[in-house]
Amino acid sequence: MPAERIAFSTPLDKPRWQRWLLYSPGARILWFLLLVAGIGLAVQSAFSVWGWRVEGPMAPPAALLTAQLLPALLAYLAIVFRLERRRAGELAWRDLPSYGLGGLAAGLALFSVVVLVLWLADSYHVDGTRAQVDWLHGVVIVGFGAAVAEEIVLRGVLYRMVEEGLGTWSALLVSAAIFGALHLGNPYADPWSAIAIMIEAGILLALLYHVTRSLWACIGLHAGWNIVEGTVYGIPVSGSTAEGGWLDASLSGPDWLTGGSFGAETSVVAVAVCLLPSIALLAIAVRRGSLVSPSWRRRVASPVQVPRSDSGAA
C-alpha cells in the first residue's frame, strides 16, 4: 500500500459529536477561520489604542507585518497544538536552512526565467536602475509577510485538511482554485488572472508541499517570486500599484504575453515555466506512491488506523 503521509487524521476513538465538531477537516478549517478573525480583531483593536495604522502607505512596517502574520500564525499553532495534539513538523526550524533557502532560490530562478523569455521576446525593457527602492516593504511585507500568511492558510490549513478528508487530487483542485479566486480582488484582475495563478502557483505550491511536507519550502518559493518580480525586476506583483523596483523597467506587447497591468503572473510564459516543475513534482509523488486517497477509502483499506504525526518542532 502506498505510504500516505498525513500529519493528522480524525481520531476514530472519540465520540461522534467531537469528531464532527472538533476533529474533522471541515471543523478544523472553520475553527481556524474563527481564530483568525478573533485574533485579527484583537490586533486591530490594540493598534487603534496605540495609534498605529495597519493599512495604507503611512502604516509602520512593523504594524503591517504583525497584522499579516500574527492572526494566521497563532491560529495555526493553536489548531496544531491544542486540537491535533502534535508537533508542527511542517514548520520545523531545522528545515528552514534547507527547504526555506532552497525554495527562495527556486522562486528567484523561476521568475528570472520568465523575465529572460520576455526579454528575448523583446517585451521586457530596462531603462536603468533606481537609486531609491523601498527594500524593506518589498522584501519584508510583499515578500515574506505575504508568503508566510498565505502559505499557512492555503497550504498548511486548506490543502492539508482537504487532502486528509478528500484526498490529494481534490486538495490540489480546491486549494489552487481558491488561491486563484482570492486574487480576483486585486487591481486589474480578471478571470484569466485567477486561472493563471491557479495553474502556475496554486498547483505548484500545493505539489511542493505534498512532496516536501514543509511549509518552509512553499514560503521560500512564494517569497522569492514576489521579491524578485517587484523589488528587483520592477514588474507589478498581482496588480500592485506600488513604486517600481531596482530595475527601471517596462513591458510591451500583447497582454497574453506580458501579463499587462496585472503583472507577468498572467503571462502565458509564467504559466508554461511553472507547469514544468509542477509536472516534475507530480511525477515524484506518483513514483513515491504518496498520493493520498479519500479518508473513507483509507478506512476501508485499513480499519485500524493510527495517525502519524510529523516529526520536528515549530
Side-chain angles (χ1 to χ4, degrees), residues 127-208:
D127 299 321
T129 59
R130 297 177 186 270
Q132 301 295 327
V133 179
D134 192 353
W135 292 100
L136 180 63
H137 185 273
V139 173
V140 177
I141 307 301
V142 178
F144 288 102
V148 172
E150 291 181 14
E151 292 312 310
I152 286 176
V153 174
L154 272 300
R155 260 58 67 175
V157 174
L158 187 63
Y159 173 85
R160 181 171 67 84
M161 294 181 187
V162 173
E163 185 183 44
E164 175 197 330
L166 301 179
T168 299
W169 293 113
S170 294
L172 281 172
L173 178 61
V174 170
S175 65
I178 292 179
F179 187 53
L182 288 175
H183 289 78
L184 282 172
N186 292 19
Y188 308 108
D190 58 24
W192 165 245
S193 64
I195 294 171
I197 289 176
M198 170 186 171
I199 296 171
E200 74 191 20
I203 291 177
L204 173 59
L205 289 165
L207 284 169
L208 182 62

Side-chain angles (χ1 to χ4, degrees), residues 69 96 99-111 135 137-151 155 179 201 205 208 215-232 237 265:
L69 297 185
L96 180 57
Y99 283 134
L101 293 179
L104 184 67
L108 297 173
L110 277 175
F111 196 80
W135 292 100
H137 185 273
V139 173
V140 177
I141 307 301
V142 178
F144 288 102
V148 172
E150 291 181 14
E151 292 312 310
R155 260 58 67 175
F179 187 53
L205 289 165
L208 182 62
L215 286 176
W216 292 122
C218 303
I219 290 167
L221 191 151
H222 195 152
W225 177 285
N226 283 1
I227 291 169
V228 78
E229 180 179 13
T231 311
V232 176
V237 180
E265 288 152 302

Side-chain angles (χ1 to χ4, degrees), residues 7-9 11 21-36 39 71-88 90-91 152-153 156-158 160-161 164 309:
F8 176 84
S9 293
L21 297 180
L22 293 177
Y23 298 109
S24 68
R28 279 178 284 132
I29 291 173
L30 179 59
W31 281 116
F32 172 80
L33 294 176
L34 291 173
L35 285 170
V36 167
I39 297 169
L73 181 59
L74 291 183
Y76 187 72
L77 294 179
I79 294 296
V80 169
F81 292 146
R82 300 305 300 169
L83 274 181
E84 296 180 352
R85 300 284 183 175
R86 65 181 182 87
R87 292 179 293 177
E90 62 272 27
L91 284 173
I152 286 176
V153 174
V157 174
L158 187 63
R160 181 171 67 84
M161 294 181 187
E164 175 197 330
S309 295

